[in-house]
Amino acid sequence: MKVTLKTVAEEAGLSITTVSRALAGYDDVNEDTRRRIVAIAQRLGYQPNLAARHLRSKQTHTIGMVIPLTSYFSDPFFMELLSGVGRQAAEYGYDLLLSAQQPGEEELSAYRRMVASSRIDGVVLARVLADDPRIAFLKEAHHPFVAFGRSNANDYPYIDVDGATGVYHLVGHLIERGHRRIAMILSPRKLAFTTARFEGYQRALGEAGIALVEQYVVESDLTQEGGRAVAQRLLDLPSPPTAIVACNDAMAIGAMQAIRACGLAVGRDVAVAGFDDIPTAAFTDPPLTTVRQPIYDIGRRALDMLICVIRQKPLDEAHVLLVPELIVRQSSGAPPIR
Amino acid sequence: MKVTLKTVAEEAGLSITTVSRALAGYDDVNEDTRRRIVAIAQRLGYQPNLAARHLRSKQTHTIGMVIPLTSYFSDPFFMELLSGVGRQAAEYGYDLLLSAQQPGEEELSAYRRMVASSRIDGVVLARVLADDPRIAFLKEAHHPFVAFGRSNANDYPYIDVDGATGVYHLVGHLIERGHRRIAMILSPRKLAFTTARFEGYQRALGEAGIALVEQYVVESDLTQEGGRAVAQRLLDLPSPPTAIVACNDAMAIGAMQAIRACGLAVGRDVAVAGFDDIPTAAFTDPPLTTVRQPIYDIGRRALDMLICVIRQKPLDEAHVLLVPELIVRQSSGAPPIR
DNA sequence: ATTGACATCCAAAACGTTTTGGATTATGGT
DNA sequence: ACCATAATCCAAAACGTTTTGGATGTCAAT
């Protein structure tokens, strides 16, 4: 019932070895018999058992990704990255193995399982932490991987976006429009990119001679609801900011909700800007000014790099740094009232 | 270097069999030795080789999904479904194997490969066609699967949304607002749900005594750009519609673009409505009236069903039909001008 | 007739696991 | 002392593939 090499071999009156080598295209089998074998395999609908093949050859043609369960659903970031990686993987004939896990210990052990159980040839990881145990583990295990993001230790292949420069331009844009009281909603500090984006904020303020106001720098959890909550607090300050920059679009959209809830108009009373340029950003009301990360393309390029690492080919660039693009829309529209 | 059952067995001075059975929790191994074995396995960092395990036991703890490459990126529908399936799979300790493929022959052969190469225990498929070769194949192969959507042959487990009723209510809502010239942008006819949604349209018009105008029924490809193009043609008619209903939100958003491009106001001059309630729908300008499909939850329930099928447990319901919810927003806001 | 070169094929081992069907020892009842 | 039972362990087979290291036959050149 199940058709294996053996079935084909018996049908052809040949050995398993010959069938295997014929199908693999080795040149030590007669061209005529090869064609005959291929025909029979086709007719019987033979499909190699990949478990057996992997067991023997230690190659799975599969790329692993672990998705944090918290952000799995609501996070367009991962979806887009996934799309890029998946798309490019298909290009190379690779499949994608996804494991959704709670961040933390479970997540790390998912990596451990994936790697040690030899189900995958390589890993793409994202949202790297400043001090990332997953990277430490993968490095120590000598398992091929590429990261989207830099961490403290940078002796591994990564692709990243220059968040510092991105936010620098974004805040510069707001300053140009006359804003002086500019708040920033940070992402959790342990995420590597938080520091970079905060740096850009500080640099832009510094060059414009604007002192950093401690109360204007708040932290949230990358979700829309979190952004709404902290923006609420910002607006309740005795001297509220006239512009709010968030570390990602989801939080920026949350901030827009908070502003509207106060009876203020986004873009007219308070400017808002985000980071990422998720698809929704172009459709918010008003459309969101943001910094565009080409996440989809990053996914594709990360996979390109990973394939090189897997095949032990030298990478032309082991560290890719992309300069993000400022997307000005109406949410940063008007100059501040006073 | 690589730690296998053998390594652990040697370290413990026991046989491979005993180690295997100890770790699997069989009761024919002494509790003390079991604990000792577990400790050693832990210490050495033993992880079972899944390829070997699958080869032997024919269970992969993996669910397969094939994503059409065309809609992979731009389609929030698949992303959300994927999220639900992935999330619930994690709940059961299953992983997800994704293969992105061009629709058509390649796609079918991806299913063939996945199934015949015994990499997966079951399949979730979506966007079923009226006459779906993938379903025919999976049925014939007796491979566990659950579909999101009904096709012509319905002797398989599926979960679906009652699109006819959904569109019926949606069109009813537009008629209530005074619209009589209501156009519909259909999805490709070969998709099973197209027929259902069209039925709802016809029924609503029929009950209101409105004759179906052939030119008001057009077909497009589920993309935003496609929706824009056909909406353009609708607006160029001598007697253009005052309301446009699209088979999905993406095309509805395209229609909104076309309306604006004509210098008309969406919701005031021409009403627009979609289907799906993708995340973006709440943020368009004006927000989009639509029919909500709980895609994420559908993904989760589909996986619940699939697990039952895989474990050969009886399904409480082999055919789940959800009634979608009408979401009224501003895009259907005003009554027509004349 | 022998040799070497070449083309074509194959038996057997190996990958790491699970499972089958005992083997061995200890225990308690007669 | 003997047997039945239970508790604990294990050798070997099996899963389906790839790879190694020949084996066999043919043919041309010596």
Side-chain angles (χ1 to χ4, degrees):
Chain A
M1 66 147 311
K2 191 141 195 92
V3 30
T4 72
L5 277 186
K6 195 173 162 197
T7 326
V8 178
E10 279 167 1
E11 183 76 12
L14 291 166
S15 76
I16 290 177
T17 308
T18 306
V19 173
S20 171
R21 296 184 74 83
L23 293 174
Y26 282 80
D27 64 352
D28 66 349
V29 24
N30 186 286
E31 185 54 26
D32 283 347
T33 49
R34 200 189 67 76
R35 267 198 288 269
R36 198 162 59 87
I37 288 171
V38 168
I40 292 176
Q42 182 95 32
R43 177 161 56 80
L44 299 184
Y46 167 74
Q47 288 287 347
N49 179 313
L50 293 184
R53 174 176 289 178
H54 299 162
L55 178 57
R56 193 41 236 233
S57 61
K58 277 116 174 44
Q59 285 219 8
T60 63
H61 270 234
T62 304
I63 303 299
M65 276 184 81
V66 178
I67 313 275
L69 209 41
T70 47
S71 60
Y72 196 19
F73 173 41
S74 51
D75 198 342
F77 172 90
F78 263 101
M79 289 298 120
E80 215 165 322
L81 183 66
L82 201 57
S83 303
V85 173
R87 164 68 215 244
Q88 198 68 356
E91 212 69 36
Y92 285 102
Y94 277 63
D95 291 325
L96 216 54
L97 185 69
L98 288 194
S99 185
Q101 298 293 337
Q102 298 286 358
E105 206 41 58
E106 272 192 54
E107 189 186 2
L108 192 57
S109 84
Y111 280 97
R112 238 187 272 281
R113 272 204 336 262
M114 274 200 180
V115 168
S117 64
S118 35
R119 295 185 79 179
I120 53 171
D121 293 345
V123 170
V124 173
L125 54 77
R127 288 272 163 84
V128 316
L129 308 180
D131 189 17
D132 203 311
R134 303 170 300 168
I135 291 180
F137 165 68
L138 289 169
K139 273 201 300 205
E140 197 195 310
H142 296 285
H143 197 268
F145 76 100
V146 169
F148 176 7
R150 295 160 284 176
S151 72
N152 286 342
N154 275 333
D155 50 341
Y156 60 86
Y158 66 78
I159 179 168
D160 200 5
V161 160
D162 186 351
T165 303
V167 172
Y168 173 76
H169 287 143
L170 183 59
V171 174
H173 157 74
L174 290 168
I175 291 172
E176 226 168 62
R177 297 245 163 140
H179 291 275
R180 307 282 294 175
R181 301 210 302 276
I182 303 172
M184 176 146 208
I185 304 179
L186 292 176
S187 32
R189 306 265 182 177
K190 62 180 180 177
L191 287 169
F193 64 73
T194 305
T195 315
R197 296 185 192 171
F198 186 45
E199 259 175 46
Y201 172 74
Q202 289 174 299
R203 186 146 50 92
L205 290 188
E207 287 185 10
I210 301 174
L212 190 139
V213 177
E214 210 173 306
Q215 285 141 327
Y216 285 173
V217 179
V218 296
E219 186 178 329
S220 187
D221 60 358
L222 287 172
T223 70
Q224 186 169 327
E225 174 48 32
R228 200 199 52 69
V230 296
Q232 189 61 60
R233 289 216 310 271
L234 287 172
L235 296 169
D236 286 345
L237 286 176
S239 165
T242 63
I244 299 178
V245 175
C247 258
N248 75 341
D249 287 348
M251 294 195 296
I253 291 173
M256 286 172 56
Q257 290 182 317
I259 291 166
R260 248 194 307 272
C262 287
L264 300 171
V266 176
R268 191 164 51 76
D269 300 327
V270 184
V272 173
F275 199 107
D276 277 351
D277 195 28
I278 60 176
T280 302
F283 295 108
T284 55
D285 178 24
L288 184 65
T289 290
T290 188
V291 176
R292 173 160 174 69
Q293 293 200 82
I295 305 178
Y296 179 76
D297 289 322
I298 286 171
R300 297 186 65 159
R301 290 189 62 174
L303 195 98
D304 283 336
M305 293 170 71
L306 183 55
I307 295 289
C308 282
V309 175
I310 289 171
R311 300 192 173 155
Q312 313 210 25
K313 288 190 183 137
L315 284 162
D316 13 323
E317 297 175 280
H319 304 249
V320 177
L321 192 60
L322 303 177
V323 178
E325 184 191 355
L326 181 62
I327 308 282
V328 176
R329 298 201 183 94
Q330 283 80 350
S331 74
S332 60
I337 341 175
R338 41 195 169 158
Chain B
M1 59 150 308
K2 192 140 196 89
V3 30
T4 72
L5 276 186
K6 195 171 162 198
T7 326
V8 178
E10 279 166 2
E11 183 76 12
L14 292 165
S15 77
I16 291 178
T17 307
T18 306
V19 173
S20 171
R21 296 185 73 82
L23 293 175
Y26 282 80
D27 64 352
D28 66 348
V29 24
N30 186 286
E31 186 53 27
D32 284 346
T33 48
R34 201 191 65 78
R35 266 199 287 269
R36 198 162 60 87
I37 288 171
V38 169
I40 292 175
Q42 182 94 33
R43 177 161 56 80
L44 299 184
Y46 168 73
Q47 288 287 348
N49 180 312
L50 294 184
R53 173 176 289 178
H54 299 162
L55 177 57
R56 195 36 238 233
S57 60
K58 277 115 174 44
Q59 285 220 11
T60 63
H61 270 232
T62 304
I63 303 298
M65 276 184 81
V66 178
I67 312 274
L69 210 41
T70 47
S71 61
Y72 198 20
F73 174 40
S74 51
D75 198 341
F77 172 89
F78 262 101
M79 288 298 119
E80 215 165 323
L81 185 66
L82 200 57
S83 304
V85 173
R87 165 66 216 245
Q88 198 67 357
E91 213 68 36
Y92 285 102
Y94 277 63
D95 291 325
L96 217 54
L97 185 68
L98 287 193
S99 186
Q101 298 292 338
Q102 298 286 357
E105 207 38 61
E106 273 191 54
E107 188 185 4
L108 193 57
S109 85
Y111 280 97
R112 238 187 272 281
R113 271 203 338 261
M114 273 199 180
V115 169
S117 63
S118 33
R119 295 185 79 179
I120 52 172
D121 294 345
V123 171
V124 173
L125 54 77
R127 287 271 163 84
V128 315
L129 308 180
D131 190 16
D132 203 310
R134 303 171 300 169
I135 292 180
F137 165 68
L138 289 168
K139 272 201 300 206
E140 198 196 309
H142 296 284
H143 197 267
F145 76 100
V146 169
F148 176 7
R150 295 159 286 177
S151 73
N152 286 342
N154 275 332
D155 50 340
Y156 59 86
Y158 66 76
I159 179 167
D160 200 5
V161 160
D162 186 352
T165 303
V167 173
Y168 172 77
H169 286 143
L170 183 60
V171 173
H173 157 74
L174 290 168
I175 291 171
E176 224 167 64
R177 297 245 163 141
H179 291 276
R180 307 281 296 175
R181 302 211 301 276
I182 302 172
M184 175 144 208
I185 303 179
L186 292 176
S187 34
R189 306 265 183 177
K190 61 180 182 177
L191 287 169
F193 64 74
T194 304
T195 316
R197 295 186 193 172
F198 186 44
E199 258 177 45
Y201 172 75
Q202 288 174 300
R203 186 145 48 93
L205 290 187
E207 288 184 11
I210 301 174
L212 191 139
V213 177
E214 210 173 306
Q215 287 143 324
Y216 285 172
V217 179
V218 295
E219 185 178 329
S220 188
D221 61 356
L222 288 172
T223 69
Q224 187 170 328
E225 173 49 29
R228 200 198 52 69
V230 296
Q232 189 61 62
R233 289 215 312 270
L234 287 172
L235 296 169
D236 287 346
L237 287 176
S239 166
T242 63
I244 299 178
V245 175
C247 260
N248 76 340
D249 287 348
M251 294 195 296
I253 291 173
M256 287 172 56
Q257 289 181 320
I259 291 166
R260 248 196 306 273
C262 287
L264 299 171
V266 176
R268 191 163 52 77
D269 301 327
V270 183
V272 173
F275 200 108
D276 278 350
D277 195 28
I278 60 177
T280 301
F283 295 108
T284 55
D285 179 26
L288 184 66
T289 291
T290 188
V291 176
R292 172 159 175 69
Q293 293 200 83
I295 305 177
Y296 179 76
D297 289 322
I298 287 172
R300 298 186 64 160
R301 291 190 61 175
L303 196 99
D304 283 336
M305 293 169 71
L306 183 55
I307 295 289
C308 282
V309 176
I310 289 171
R311 301 193 174 155
Q312 311 209 27
K313 289 188 182 139
L315 283 163
D316 14 322
E317 298 176 279
H319 303 249
V320 177
L321 193 60
L322 302 177
V323 178
E325 184 191 356
L326 181 62
I327 308 281
V328 177
R329 298 201 183 93
Q330 282 81 345
S331 74
S332 61
I337 341 176
R338 41 202 163 146

